[in-house]
Amino acid sequence: MSRILENKVAVVTGASRGIGREIALSMAEEGAAVIVNYNGSAARAEEVVKEICDAGGKAEAVQCDVSDFSKAAELMDYVVKTYGRVDILVNNAGITRDNLLMKMSEEDFDAVINTNLKGAFNCMKHIARQMLKQRSGRIINISSVSGIMGNAGQANYSASKAGIIGLTKAAARELASRSITVNAIAPGFVKTEMTEVLSDAVKEAAEAQIPMKHFGETKDIANMAVFLASDKAKYITGQVISVDGGMAM
Ligand code: NAP
């Protein structure tokens, strides 16, 4: 049976765990060679690579702090030199530093913007020339329901995720004529280490806001990422697709 990402090269940022890990595994399952980017979790990134290779796929773990402009350039240069092309970029790396606006430090605001928003910009900027040369490419940015609706205690995170939406749409307009699509996925609450730390009270309050009444699975997000990366989605660009159990409708 033919796989929908056969012979594609995919870079997934923040793929050592959570949603990024699932996207990496799912893209590899569909035939892509996957660059499993991570920042600090080397052993976990290697586990993802092993899982892919054990299943007969192709993957490599590459450390890079995507918030660092020149390091992101090095990552993309390395991938292009090694693999000759980049078909898919998934900007998934993300952090939270939650606090009420009144209590939020400048450091926590900057850290979240630098990783979540500038990190995506850095990776897109450094791969755009290659994709333009190829006259093809798929960029998938992971936004959030918080970027659409706002969320108390997440001024930095909501701003970064709303920023991702503007970044996605501007880049989609710039790159569309060369058959490069740029889309965002806006997950709702998904079961990962990021949401594991929430108190039971916060989790219950969140579930009450979700029409489907439960958190999503990482696979729910990965399925959408695989679809957007495939030829089946070739006429979709500049869109923000919510995968959130109905939360942001
Ligand atoms: P997670 O389990 O905390 O994993 C975050 C990933 O990002 C890790 O692989 C981490 O790598 C990587 N990362 C963090 N900073 C990085 C940096 N500077 N450079 C490179 N990689 C970095 O988070 P998750 O829940 O899977 O979330 C993934 C994405 O989905 C994030 O953008 C998040 O905002 C978004 N999202 C999540 C939810 C949710 O409910 N979980 C909802 C909406 C949107 P290391 O471990 O190596 O540091």
Side-chain angles (χ1 to χ4, degrees), residues 109-139:
F109 185 82
D110 288 348
V112 169
I113 297 292
N114 285 341
T115 298
N116 299 8
L117 179 56
K118 191 177 166 212
F121 162 75
N122 289 343
C123 293
M124 289 165 74
K125 154 133 187 118
H126 293 306
I127 209 54
R129 193 182 304 277
Q130 175 63 29
M131 286 185 171
L132 286 167
K133 233 194 288 176
Q134 292 170 188
R135 292 187 165 266
S136 69
R138 294 275 190 277
I139 298 172

PDB file of all heavy atoms in Angstrom, residues 109-139:
ATOM      1  N   PHE A 109       7.757  36.332  30.031  1.00  0.00           N
ATOM      2  CA  PHE A 109       7.105  36.781  28.789  1.00  0.00           C
ATOM      3  C   PHE A 109       8.043  36.534  27.606  1.00  0.00           C
ATOM      4  O   PHE A 109       7.661  35.909  26.613  1.00  0.00           O
ATOM      5  CB  PHE A 109       6.736  38.272  28.872  1.00  0.00           C
ATOM      6  CG  PHE A 109       5.956  38.733  27.670  1.00  0.00           C
ATOM      7  CD1 PHE A 109       4.582  38.520  27.591  1.00  0.00           C
ATOM      8  CD2 PHE A 109       6.595  39.339  26.598  1.00  0.00           C
ATOM      9  CE1 PHE A 109       3.865  38.908  26.459  1.00  0.00           C
ATOM     10  CE2 PHE A 109       5.887  39.730  25.465  1.00  0.00           C
ATOM     11  CZ  PHE A 109       4.517  39.519  25.402  1.00  0.00           C
ATOM     12  N   ASP A 110       9.282  36.967  27.758  1.00  0.00           N
ATOM     13  CA  ASP A 110      10.255  36.847  26.662  1.00  0.00           C
ATOM     14  C   ASP A 110      10.538  35.383  26.314  1.00  0.00           C
ATOM     15  O   ASP A 110      10.638  35.035  25.133  1.00  0.00           O
ATOM     16  CB  ASP A 110      11.572  37.540  27.039  1.00  0.00           C
ATOM     17  CG  ASP A 110      11.445  39.063  27.041  1.00  0.00           C
ATOM     18  OD1 ASP A 110      10.420  39.576  26.544  1.00  0.00           O
ATOM     19  OD2 ASP A 110      12.357  39.735  27.546  1.00  0.00           O
ATOM     20  N   ALA A 111      10.675  34.550  27.339  1.00  0.00           N
ATOM     21  CA  ALA A 111      11.013  33.136  27.082  1.00  0.00           C
ATOM     22  C   ALA A 111       9.944  32.468  26.219  1.00  0.00           C
ATOM     23  O   ALA A 111      10.262  31.733  25.271  1.00  0.00           O
ATOM     24  CB  ALA A 111      11.174  32.386  28.403  1.00  0.00           C
ATOM     25  N   VAL A 112       8.694  32.731  26.538  1.00  0.00           N
ATOM     26  CA  VAL A 112       7.599  32.085  25.799  1.00  0.00           C
ATOM     27  C   VAL A 112       7.501  32.635  24.375  1.00  0.00           C
ATOM     28  O   VAL A 112       7.350  31.871  23.408  1.00  0.00           O
ATOM     29  CB  VAL A 112       6.263  32.243  26.577  1.00  0.00           C
ATOM     30  CG1 VAL A 112       5.076  31.828  25.724  1.00  0.00           C
ATOM     31  CG2 VAL A 112       6.321  31.401  27.851  1.00  0.00           C
ATOM     32  N   ILE A 113       7.629  33.942  24.225  1.00  0.00           N
ATOM     33  CA  ILE A 113       7.587  34.530  22.877  1.00  0.00           C
ATOM     34  C   ILE A 113       8.782  34.031  22.055  1.00  0.00           C
ATOM     35  O   ILE A 113       8.632  33.667  20.883  1.00  0.00           O
ATOM     36  CB  ILE A 113       7.603  36.083  22.938  1.00  0.00           C
ATOM     37  CG1 ILE A 113       6.346  36.618  23.645  1.00  0.00           C
ATOM     38  CG2 ILE A 113       7.765  36.690  21.535  1.00  0.00           C
ATOM     39  CD1 ILE A 113       5.036  36.433  22.915  1.00  0.00           C
ATOM     40  N   ASN A 114       9.945  33.976  22.683  1.00  0.00           N
ATOM     41  CA  ASN A 114      11.155  33.591  21.942  1.00  0.00           C
ATOM     42  C   ASN A 114      11.106  32.140  21.468  1.00  0.00           C
ATOM     43  O   ASN A 114      11.559  31.830  20.373  1.00  0.00           O
ATOM     44  CB  ASN A 114      12.410  33.813  22.801  1.00  0.00           C
ATOM     45  CG  ASN A 114      12.747  35.281  22.892  1.00  0.00           C
ATOM     46  OD1 ASN A 114      12.299  36.085  22.064  1.00  0.00           O
ATOM     47  ND2 ASN A 114      13.504  35.662  23.901  1.00  0.00           N
ATOM     48  N   THR A 115      10.585  31.262  22.281  1.00  0.00           N
ATOM     49  CA  THR A 115      10.507  29.853  21.857  1.00  0.00           C
ATOM     50  C   THR A 115       9.325  29.641  20.912  1.00  0.00           C
ATOM     51  O   THR A 115       9.484  29.127  19.807  1.00  0.00           O
ATOM     52  CB  THR A 115      10.360  28.930  23.085  1.00  0.00           C
ATOM     53  OG1 THR A 115      11.514  29.088  23.904  1.00  0.00           O
ATOM     54  CG2 THR A 115      10.247  27.469  22.661  1.00  0.00           C
ATOM     55  N   ASN A 116       8.147  30.034  21.339  1.00  0.00           N
ATOM     56  CA  ASN A 116       6.939  29.666  20.595  1.00  0.00           C
ATOM     57  C   ASN A 116       6.775  30.449  19.287  1.00  0.00           C
ATOM     58  O   ASN A 116       6.394  29.872  18.266  1.00  0.00           O
ATOM     59  CB  ASN A 116       5.695  29.913  21.446  1.00  0.00           C
ATOM     60  CG  ASN A 116       5.691  29.088  22.730  1.00  0.00           C
ATOM     61  OD1 ASN A 116       6.678  28.435  23.071  1.00  0.00           O
ATOM     62  ND2 ASN A 116       4.588  29.123  23.460  1.00  0.00           N
ATOM     63  N   LEU A 117       7.047  31.747  19.336  1.00  0.00           N
ATOM     64  CA  LEU A 117       6.800  32.573  18.144  1.00  0.00           C
ATOM     65  C   LEU A 117       8.081  32.805  17.339  1.00  0.00           C
ATOM     66  O   LEU A 117       8.135  32.517  16.149  1.00  0.00           O
ATOM     67  CB  LEU A 117       6.177  33.915  18.566  1.00  0.00           C
ATOM     68  CG  LEU A 117       5.878  34.903  17.444  1.00  0.00           C
ATOM     69  CD1 LEU A 117       4.968  34.284  16.380  1.00  0.00           C
ATOM     70  CD2 LEU A 117       5.234  36.175  18.008  1.00  0.00           C
ATOM     71  N   LYS A 118       9.115  33.296  18.019  1.00  0.00           N
ATOM     72  CA  LYS A 118      10.353  33.568  17.284  1.00  0.00           C
ATOM     73  C   LYS A 118      10.977  32.264  16.795  1.00  0.00           C
ATOM     74  O   LYS A 118      11.551  32.215  15.703  1.00  0.00           O
ATOM     75  CB  LYS A 118      11.342  34.354  18.159  1.00  0.00           C
ATOM     76  CG  LYS A 118      12.512  34.875  17.363  1.00  0.00           C
ATOM     77  CD  LYS A 118      13.463  35.714  18.188  1.00  0.00           C
ATOM     78  CE  LYS A 118      14.754  35.904  17.424  1.00  0.00           C
ATOM     79  NZ  LYS A 118      15.913  36.012  18.319  1.00  0.00           N
ATOM     80  N   GLY A 119      10.828  31.194  17.569  1.00  0.00           N
ATOM     81  CA  GLY A 119      11.352  29.893  17.141  1.00  0.00           C
ATOM     82  C   GLY A 119      10.744  29.466  15.811  1.00  0.00           C
ATOM     83  O   GLY A 119      11.441  28.967  14.917  1.00  0.00           O
ATOM     84  N   ALA A 120       9.452  29.674  15.661  1.00  0.00           N
ATOM     85  CA  ALA A 120       8.783  29.313  14.401  1.00  0.00           C
ATOM     86  C   ALA A 120       9.278  30.215  13.277  1.00  0.00           C
ATOM     87  O   ALA A 120       9.571  29.754  12.166  1.00  0.00           O
ATOM     88  CB  ALA A 120       7.270  29.429  14.562  1.00  0.00           C
ATOM     89  N   PHE A 121       9.380  31.518  13.572  1.00  0.00           N
ATOM     90  CA  PHE A 121       9.912  32.455  12.576  1.00  0.00           C
ATOM     91  C   PHE A 121      11.317  32.029  12.141  1.00  0.00           C
ATOM     92  O   PHE A 121      11.622  31.984  10.943  1.00  0.00           O
ATOM     93  CB  PHE A 121       9.948  33.885  13.147  1.00  0.00           C
ATOM     94  CG  PHE A 121      10.848  34.807  12.377  1.00  0.00           C
ATOM     95  CD1 PHE A 121      10.452  35.309  11.135  1.00  0.00           C
ATOM     96  CD2 PHE A 121      12.104  35.159  12.857  1.00  0.00           C
ATOM     97  CE1 PHE A 121      11.301  36.148  10.404  1.00  0.00           C
ATOM     98  CE2 PHE A 121      12.955  35.989  12.129  1.00  0.00           C
ATOM     99  CZ  PHE A 121      12.557  36.487  10.893  1.00  0.00           C
ATOM    100  N   ASN A 122      12.177  31.734  13.116  1.00  0.00           N
ATOM    101  CA  ASN A 122      13.561  31.361  12.812  1.00  0.00           C
ATOM    102  C   ASN A 122      13.613  30.178  11.838  1.00  0.00           C
ATOM    103  O   ASN A 122      14.338  30.203  10.844  1.00  0.00           O
ATOM    104  CB  ASN A 122      14.312  30.973  14.094  1.00  0.00           C
ATOM    105  CG  ASN A 122      14.600  32.166  14.987  1.00  0.00           C
ATOM    106  OD1 ASN A 122      14.538  33.317  14.554  1.00  0.00           O
ATOM    107  ND2 ASN A 122      14.910  31.889  16.252  1.00  0.00           N
ATOM    108  N   CYS A 123      12.846  29.156  12.144  1.00  0.00           N
ATOM    109  CA  CYS A 123      12.890  27.943  11.306  1.00  0.00           C
ATOM    110  C   CYS A 123      12.293  28.212   9.922  1.00  0.00           C
ATOM    111  O   CYS A 123      12.812  27.744   8.903  1.00  0.00           O
ATOM    112  CB  CYS A 123      12.153  26.796  11.999  1.00  0.00           C
ATOM    113  SG  CYS A 123      12.999  26.257  13.499  1.00  0.00           S
ATOM    114  N   MET A 124      11.202  28.973   9.876  1.00  0.00           N
ATOM    115  CA  MET A 124      10.572  29.276   8.577  1.00  0.00           C
ATOM    116  C   MET A 124      11.504  30.116   7.721  1.00  0.00           C
ATOM    117  O   MET A 124      11.670  29.877   6.532  1.00  0.00           O
ATOM    118  CB  MET A 124       9.262  30.029   8.793  1.00  0.00           C
ATOM    119  CG  MET A 124       8.171  29.142   9.367  1.00  0.00           C
ATOM    120  SD  MET A 124       6.786  30.100  10.007  1.00  0.00           S
ATOM    121  CE  MET A 124       6.002  30.641   8.499  1.00  0.00           C
ATOM    122  N   LYS A 125      12.091  31.123   8.341  1.00  0.00           N
ATOM    123  CA  LYS A 125      12.973  32.039   7.608  1.00  0.00           C
ATOM    124  C   LYS A 125      14.140  31.266   6.995  1.00  0.00           C
ATOM    125  O   LYS A 125      14.497  31.492   5.846  1.00  0.00           O
ATOM    126  CB  LYS A 125      13.490  33.107   8.568  1.00  0.00           C
ATOM    127  CG  LYS A 125      14.799  33.691   8.172  1.00  0.00           C
ATOM    128  CD  LYS A 125      14.871  35.174   8.218  1.00  0.00           C
ATOM    129  CE  LYS A 125      16.178  35.630   7.626  1.00  0.00           C
ATOM    130  NZ  LYS A 125      16.063  36.445   6.471  1.00  0.00           N
ATOM    131  N   HIS A 126      14.691  30.327   7.762  1.00  0.00           N
ATOM    132  CA  HIS A 126      15.890  29.641   7.294  1.00  0.00           C
ATOM    133  C   HIS A 126      15.593  28.474   6.352  1.00  0.00           C
ATOM    134  O   HIS A 126      16.529  27.896   5.807  1.00  0.00           O
ATOM    135  CB  HIS A 126      16.728  29.173   8.490  1.00  0.00           C
ATOM    136  CG  HIS A 126      17.308  30.313   9.264  1.00  0.00           C
ATOM    137  ND1 HIS A 126      18.062  31.309   8.685  1.00  0.00           N
ATOM    138  CD2 HIS A 126      17.224  30.641  10.574  1.00  0.00           C
ATOM    139  CE1 HIS A 126      18.422  32.191   9.609  1.00  0.00           C
ATOM    140  NE2 HIS A 126      17.922  31.805  10.758  1.00  0.00           N
ATOM    141  N   ILE A 127      14.331  28.136   6.173  1.00  0.00           N
ATOM    142  CA  ILE A 127      14.033  27.068   5.212  1.00  0.00           C
ATOM    143  C   ILE A 127      13.300  27.602   3.984  1.00  0.00           C
ATOM    144  O   ILE A 127      13.146  26.903   2.972  1.00  0.00           O
ATOM    145  CB  ILE A 127      13.236  25.917   5.887  1.00  0.00           C
ATOM    146  CG1 ILE A 127      13.543  24.591   5.186  1.00  0.00           C
ATOM    147  CG2 ILE A 127      11.745  26.174   5.908  1.00  0.00           C
ATOM    148  CD1 ILE A 127      14.984  24.243   5.086  1.00  0.00           C
ATOM    149  N   ALA A 128      12.851  28.854   4.047  1.00  0.00           N
ATOM    150  CA  ALA A 128      12.034  29.403   2.955  1.00  0.00           C
ATOM    151  C   ALA A 128      12.787  29.381   1.617  1.00  0.00           C
ATOM    152  O   ALA A 128      12.211  28.987   0.587  1.00  0.00           O
ATOM    153  CB  ALA A 128      11.596  30.820   3.298  1.00  0.00           C
ATOM    154  N   ARG A 129      14.071  29.787   1.633  1.00  0.00           N
ATOM    155  CA  ARG A 129      14.814  29.837   0.370  1.00  0.00           C
ATOM    156  C   ARG A 129      14.873  28.455  -0.296  1.00  0.00           C
ATOM    157  O   ARG A 129      14.684  28.310  -1.496  1.00  0.00           O
ATOM    158  CB  ARG A 129      16.227  30.358   0.628  1.00  0.00           C
ATOM    159  CG  ARG A 129      16.967  30.751  -0.645  1.00  0.00           C
ATOM    160  CD  ARG A 129      18.380  31.225  -0.335  1.00  0.00           C
ATOM    161  NE  ARG A 129      18.420  32.317   0.618  1.00  0.00           N
ATOM    162  CZ  ARG A 129      18.237  33.606   0.301  1.00  0.00           C
ATOM    163  NH1 ARG A 129      17.995  33.945  -0.935  1.00  0.00           N
ATOM    164  NH2 ARG A 129      18.285  34.539   1.226  1.00  0.00           N
ATOM    165  N   GLN A 130      15.138  27.428   0.532  1.00  0.00           N
ATOM    166  CA  GLN A 130      15.208  26.057   0.003  1.00  0.00           C
ATOM    167  C   GLN A 130      13.853  25.632  -0.575  1.00  0.00           C
ATOM    168  O   GLN A 130      13.779  25.062  -1.667  1.00  0.00           O
ATOM    169  CB  GLN A 130      15.653  25.096   1.116  1.00  0.00           C
ATOM    170  CG  GLN A 130      15.650  23.631   0.731  1.00  0.00           C
ATOM    171  CD  GLN A 130      16.622  23.292  -0.390  1.00  0.00           C
ATOM    172  OE1 GLN A 130      17.647  23.939  -0.560  1.00  0.00           O
ATOM    173  NE2 GLN A 130      16.283  22.268  -1.172  1.00  0.00           N
ATOM    174  N   MET A 131      12.788  25.919   0.138  1.00  0.00           N
ATOM    175  CA  MET A 131      11.455  25.527  -0.358  1.00  0.00           C
ATOM    176  C   MET A 131      11.101  26.296  -1.636  1.00  0.00           C
ATOM    177  O   MET A 131      10.483  25.748  -2.548  1.00  0.00           O
ATOM    178  CB  MET A 131      10.400  25.730   0.728  1.00  0.00           C
ATOM    179  CG  MET A 131      10.470  24.679   1.829  1.00  0.00           C
ATOM    180  SD  MET A 131       9.118  24.861   3.014  1.00  0.00           S
ATOM    181  CE  MET A 131       9.312  23.361   3.983  1.00  0.00           C
ATOM    182  N   LEU A 132      11.509  27.570  -1.698  1.00  0.00           N
ATOM    183  CA  LEU A 132      11.251  28.362  -2.913  1.00  0.00           C
ATOM    184  C   LEU A 132      11.991  27.748  -4.097  1.00  0.00           C
ATOM    185  O   LEU A 132      11.446  27.631  -5.191  1.00  0.00           O
ATOM    186  CB  LEU A 132      11.692  29.819  -2.713  1.00  0.00           C
ATOM    187  CG  LEU A 132      10.779  30.657  -1.807  1.00  0.00           C
ATOM    188  CD1 LEU A 132      11.453  31.971  -1.420  1.00  0.00           C
ATOM    189  CD2 LEU A 132       9.433  30.933  -2.475  1.00  0.00           C
ATOM    190  N   LYS A 133      13.233  27.308  -3.840  1.00  0.00           N
ATOM    191  CA  LYS A 133      14.028  26.665  -4.890  1.00  0.00           C
ATOM    192  C   LYS A 133      13.347  25.377  -5.358  1.00  0.00           C
ATOM    193  O   LYS A 133      13.310  25.065  -6.525  1.00  0.00           O
ATOM    194  CB  LYS A 133      15.419  26.335  -4.330  1.00  0.00           C
ATOM    195  CG  LYS A 133      16.553  26.885  -5.175  1.00  0.00           C
ATOM    196  CD  LYS A 133      17.904  26.295  -4.818  1.00  0.00           C
ATOM    197  CE  LYS A 133      18.457  26.785  -3.500  1.00  0.00           C
ATOM    198  NZ  LYS A 133      19.732  26.132  -3.136  1.00  0.00           N
ATOM    199  N   GLN A 134      12.830  24.625  -4.391  1.00  0.00           N
ATOM    200  CA  GLN A 134      12.159  23.351  -4.700  1.00  0.00           C
ATOM    201  C   GLN A 134      10.820  23.577  -5.409  1.00  0.00           C
ATOM    202  O   GLN A 134      10.283  22.697  -6.030  1.00  0.00           O
ATOM    203  CB  GLN A 134      11.848  22.596  -3.391  1.00  0.00           C
ATOM    204  CG  GLN A 134      13.033  22.097  -2.645  1.00  0.00           C
ATOM    205  CD  GLN A 134      12.682  21.572  -1.250  1.00  0.00           C
ATOM    206  OE1 GLN A 134      13.568  21.280  -0.481  1.00  0.00           O
ATOM    207  NE2 GLN A 134      11.398  21.470  -0.909  1.00  0.00           N
ATOM    208  N   ARG A 135      10.288  24.786  -5.226  1.00  0.00           N
ATOM    209  CA  ARG A 135       8.918  25.105  -5.670  1.00  0.00           C
ATOM    210  C   ARG A 135       7.902  24.151  -5.040  1.00  0.00           C
ATOM    211  O   ARG A 135       6.897  23.780  -5.637  1.00  0.00           O
ATOM    212  CB  ARG A 135       8.815  25.075  -7.199  1.00  0.00           C
ATOM    213  CG  ARG A 135       9.603  26.216  -7.824  1.00  0.00           C
ATOM    214  CD  ARG A 135       9.408  26.330  -9.309  1.00  0.00           C
ATOM    215  NE  ARG A 135       9.888  27.625  -9.784  1.00  0.00           N
ATOM    216  CZ  ARG A 135       9.138  28.705  -9.939  1.00  0.00           C
ATOM    217  NH1 ARG A 135       7.856  28.664  -9.672  1.00  0.00           N
ATOM    218  NH2 ARG A 135       9.652  29.839 -10.357  1.00  0.00           N
ATOM    219  N   SER A 136       8.183  23.792  -3.802  1.00  0.00           N
ATOM    220  CA  SER A 136       7.229  22.978  -3.045  1.00  0.00           C
ATOM    221  C   SER A 136       7.617  23.009  -1.574  1.00  0.00           C
ATOM    222  O   SER A 136       8.778  23.248  -1.242  1.00  0.00           O
ATOM    223  CB  SER A 136       7.223  21.530  -3.536  1.00  0.00           C
ATOM    224  OG  SER A 136       8.429  20.902  -3.193  1.00  0.00           O
ATOM    225  N   GLY A 137       6.653  22.763  -0.739  1.00  0.00           N
ATOM    226  CA  GLY A 137       6.919  22.693   0.695  1.00  0.00           C
ATOM    227  C   GLY A 137       5.629  22.789   1.493  1.00  0.00           C
ATOM    228  O   GLY A 137       4.607  23.264   1.001  1.00  0.00           O
ATOM    229  N   ARG A 138       5.735  22.273   2.706  1.00  0.00           N
ATOM    230  CA  ARG A 138       4.582  22.320   3.621  1.00  0.00           C
ATOM    231  C   ARG A 138       5.092  22.827   4.963  1.00  0.00           C
ATOM    232  O   ARG A 138       6.000  22.214   5.549  1.00  0.00           O
ATOM    233  CB  ARG A 138       4.034  20.907   3.852  1.00  0.00           C
ATOM    234  CG  ARG A 138       3.438  20.263   2.639  1.00  0.00           C
ATOM    235  CD  ARG A 138       1.993  20.708   2.515  1.00  0.00           C
ATOM    236  NE  ARG A 138       1.310  19.948   1.506  1.00  0.00           N
ATOM    237  CZ  ARG A 138       1.357  20.231   0.210  1.00  0.00           C
ATOM    238  NH1 ARG A 138       2.050  21.246  -0.228  1.00  0.00           N
ATOM    239  NH2 ARG A 138       0.701  19.487  -0.651  1.00  0.00           N
ATOM    240  N   ILE A 139       4.531  23.917   5.430  1.00  0.00           N
ATOM    241  CA  ILE A 139       4.887  24.404   6.759  1.00  0.00           C
ATOM    242  C   ILE A 139       3.640  24.308   7.628  1.00  0.00           C
ATOM    243  O   ILE A 139       2.553  24.783   7.240  1.00  0.00           O
ATOM    244  CB  ILE A 139       5.425  25.853   6.695  1.00  0.00           C
ATOM    245  CG1 ILE A 139       6.703  25.900   5.842  1.00  0.00           C
ATOM    246  CG2 ILE A 139       5.697  26.389   8.111  1.00  0.00           C
ATOM    247  CD1 ILE A 139       7.234  27.299   5.548  1.00  0.00           C
TER     248      ILE A 139
END
